[in-house]
Structures are given as structure tokens and as C-alpha cells.
Amino acid sequence: MTSDKIKVHFTDNYLINPTNPVTINLIGAGGTGSKVLTALMEMNHSLIQLGHTGLFVRLWDDDIITEANLGRQRFAESETGLYKSVALINRANRWTGTNWKAETQKFKLGESERLPENFSANIYISCVDSVSARFEIADILKRLNNGRYYADRPLYSLDFGNSQNSGQAILATIGTIKQPNSEKYETVDHLPFITDEFGDLLKESETNDDTPSCSLAEALEKQDLFINSTLAQMGSSLLWSLFRNGLTENRGFFLNLKNFHSQPIKIA
């Protein structure tokens, strides 16, 4: 009697042996995005030390830093009034000597509906607040999946989302990723978008209150102090495993920080 093979997804070879830095569009520079950027700084340095070409990050956010952002997000009082994306990228570049870029606009199509060149990247990490923005990002990524082979071709997306004490991070492929033959594992070449798999649940969870918080106390009523940083660390660890291990058995996780429970989402 033989046991069932473990289902895994093997990392696209370009992430393992790239000719240029792996390009990442990080969408959202708030509570989660600001901390994911810190993780990407650490990841970039570690990859380069291991002989990899490293990462090139473009951070998208049109929000301005307010007093309510201080403390829970990666901002100082002296940065109040600046664009979040600019403050974070300037700090990252000074700290690590990178040449990463800030985009002071939303990651969305303009009136022309054309896809700008700076939309292209190998990995898309979304850390946005609204469900509608997540659906819009997914629609853009589907349009980018044209099957052509080029350096910045879209490969993966990693979506973060949370409520006050709980959240999730889910990895998806943009199209299919060619898998090697394996006698040990059952390989899976396609991982669905969160909007395709949990779209109805996302719509049910949508709230109509998009009013910005005026104070840290008010912000903490919406998102507790450590939910964003915990999600950022765990989700970044999933991304790191793609680079370091070359495969993954998990494509994400659900987290409840109130009862300290985490549930992995297995490759299916």
C-alpha cells in the first residue's frame, strides 16, 4: 500500500537563478505594507550574501502620513505630511544602499485603461484596506498574464488582509508555473487568487467605513497593535521559503492573534 504524495509547488526557476534583481510591486505602505518593506530589506541583503541578485522594490501608495499613523506604522513624527511611499523608500535606500522606487499613486488603471510599464514585476504584494482594491488588483494581474517570456514577467502575488485581531496571507500564481517532474511529490502549477477562491467571503466582510482614523487610539479600534507586524513576518517567511527552499507545501495561512491560533493553507 502506497501513501498519497504530498502536494507542493516548486518555485519558478527565475526566482532562484535570475539574471537581474527580482522585481516586486509592493502595493500599500500602511500598517502591514510598511513592515513588509522592512522584511524585504532583510531578505534582499540575505539573498545578495548568498550570491543571488537580490530584489528591486517599487512601493505604491498615495496616502499622506498623519498623526494617527505614528506608533502602529513605520513612521516618525518628523515625517508627518510626507507621502508614506516616499518616506519609507528614502529610508530604505539610505539604510541599505538600494535604488528602490516610490510611486505616489494608487496601483490602478487610468482612464486610458492601458497598462503602464511600471506595472510589470515578478511578484506583487498587496497590503490594501478595501475589498474593492483587492479585486481591482487581481483584474490587473490577470491582464498582465499574457504568456510572454521577459525579465519582469508576472509570476506570483501575495495578498495580505486583516481585521482587528485576525487576518491571512495567501500566495497565488499569475497563470501557471511550469513544474519539474517529481517521483516524491505531486506538483501543482497553479495557485488561485484570493478573489477567485474566497471572493464571496471578501464581499461579505466589506465594511462601508473608509473614514481615516484621527488618532492612534481610534486606529487601534480597527486594527490591534501587533496584527499587522505578525502578518508581515509570517507572510514574508512564506515568500522567503520560495527563494530559500525552492518549493512550498503551504500557500498561505489564517491567523487569529486574539487566541494565538494559526492555520496553514496547504497546496491543494
Side-chain angles (χ1 to χ4, degrees):
M1 181 176 178
T2 58
S3 60
D4 293 335
K5 291 182 179 179
I6 298 174
K7 291 184 178 181
V8 303
H9 173 80
F10 281 90
T11 309
D12 187 274
N13 187 60
Y14 185 76
L15 265 60
I16 307 298
N17 297 299
T19 54
N20 296 293
V22 171
T23 51
I24 296 178
N25 274 332
L26 175 55
I27 306 165
T32 302
S34 62
K35 288 159 187 172
V36 169
L37 184 69
T38 301
L40 292 176
M41 291 165 58
E42 297 170 354
M43 202 179 302
N44 176 63
H45 178 82
S46 299
L47 286 170
I48 291 173
Q49 292 300 306
L50 292 169
H52 191 276
T53 56
L55 309 174
F56 173 81
V57 178
R58 186 178 283 111
L59 177 61
W60 298 75
D61 202 306
D62 68 337
D63 280 349
I64 301 295
I65 302 165
T66 67
E67 185 177 347
N69 302 139
L70 308 183
R72 193 175 61 85
Q73 301 180 18
R74 288 279 192 266
F75 302 112
E77 185 175 358
S78 60
E79 294 171 322
T80 303
L82 300 177
Y83 281 105
K84 291 181 178 180
S85 56
V86 171
L88 290 171
I89 287 296
N90 283 346
R91 196 186 315 152
N93 288 339
R94 288 196 300 268
W95 186 264
T96 62
T98 50
N99 188 32
W100 294 356
K101 302 298 182 184
E103 298 284 351
T104 57
Q105 57 183 309
K106 292 183 182 296
F107 186 83
K108 61 184 296 184
L109 295 176
E111 294 181 0
S112 67
E113 293 293 306
R114 295 181 62 185
L115 293 168
E117 289 185 6
N118 58 355
F119 273 31
S120 295
N122 302 129
I123 301 171
Y124 297 78
I125 304 175
S126 54
C127 308
V128 295
D129 293 331
S130 72
V131 171
S132 59
R134 296 163 88 176
F135 275 93
E136 186 169 7
I137 291 167
D139 289 341
I140 291 172
L141 298 188
K142 290 174 183 178
R143 291 181 58 175
L144 286 167
N145 177 32
N146 56 23
R148 291 169 47 228
Y149 186 95
Y150 55 101
D152 286 340
R153 71 191 187 283
L155 298 173
Y156 295 98
S157 73
L158 180 60
D159 178 270
F160 289 88
N162 69 281
S163 57
Q164 184 178 15
N165 294 293
S166 62
Q168 73 287 320
I170 297 181
L171 179 73
T173 59
I174 303 174
T176 59
I177 304 295
K178 185 177 179 180
Q179 299 288 285
N181 296 324
S182 175
E183 295 182 358
K184 183 177 180 180
Y185 300 109
E186 179 182 346
T187 59
V188 177
D189 62 3
H190 175 70
L191 309 177
F193 287 117
I194 186 174
T195 51
D196 291 335
E197 188 173 18
F198 301 107
D200 291 340
L201 289 174
L202 286 174
K203 291 174 182 177
E204 289 176 10
S205 68
E206 178 82 277
T207 62
N208 295 320
D209 183 14
D210 292 327
T211 307
S213 302
C214 296
S215 67
L216 177 59
E218 186 177 343
L220 291 173
E221 290 298 317
K222 299 178 182 179
Q223 298 182 38
D224 204 19
L225 185 59
F226 292 111
I227 182 65
N228 301 107
S229 56
T230 306
L231 280 172
Q233 289 293 304
M234 292 180 65
S236 297
S237 180
L238 174 60
L239 183 60
W240 172 247
S241 73
L242 291 181
F243 287 102
R244 192 70 174 128
N245 301 327
L247 81 167
T248 179
E249 297 178 28
N250 304 300
R251 58 188 183 91
F253 59 88
F254 294 108
L255 172 69
N256 187 320
L257 201 56
K258 190 172 184 178
N259 60 17
F260 299 102
H261 181 73
S262 177
Q263 177 65 45
I265 305 173
K266 294 294 183 181
I267 300 289

